Amino acid sequence: IIPRPSIETALERALARAPVVALIGARQVGKTTLARKLANRVQGTIYLDLERVGRCYQPAPPSFLSK
């Protein structure tokens, strides 16, 4: 990971203010690495990979919805 202390500081401040902080951005830029690093460093923080949860969701087939 490329050190980005200003981003880490901003995220730590956000975590101190709000119960939930989302990292949103382009693919393959280090969001997961940064989130895991902060989850290990900031007490009381957990990391949730919502992309994986989204892959598990299967919309109901149209025939089910028409009933």
Side-chain angles (χ1 to χ4, degrees):
I1 184 169
I2 298 171
R4 302 199 195 296
S6 61
I7 294 173
E8 290 181 29
T9 301
L11 286 170
E12 287 175 355
R13 287 183 188 148
L15 286 166
R17 288 189 317 265
V20 176
V21 174
L23 293 177
I24 302 170
R27 294 177 46 85
Q28 304 291 313
V29 296
K31 297 180 303 292
T32 299
T33 302
L34 180 58
R36 288 181 176 163
K37 180 178 179 181
L38 285 172
N40 288 330
R41 191 170 72 209
V42 179
Q43 187 166 358
T45 303
I46 61 170
Y47 163 75
L48 301 172
D49 185 347
L50 299 179
E51 183 178 344
R52 292 175 191 254
V53 172
R55 289 180 193 164
C56 297
Y57 171 73
Q58 295 294 321
S63 61
F64 175 79
L65 296 175
S66 65
K67 292 181 182 179

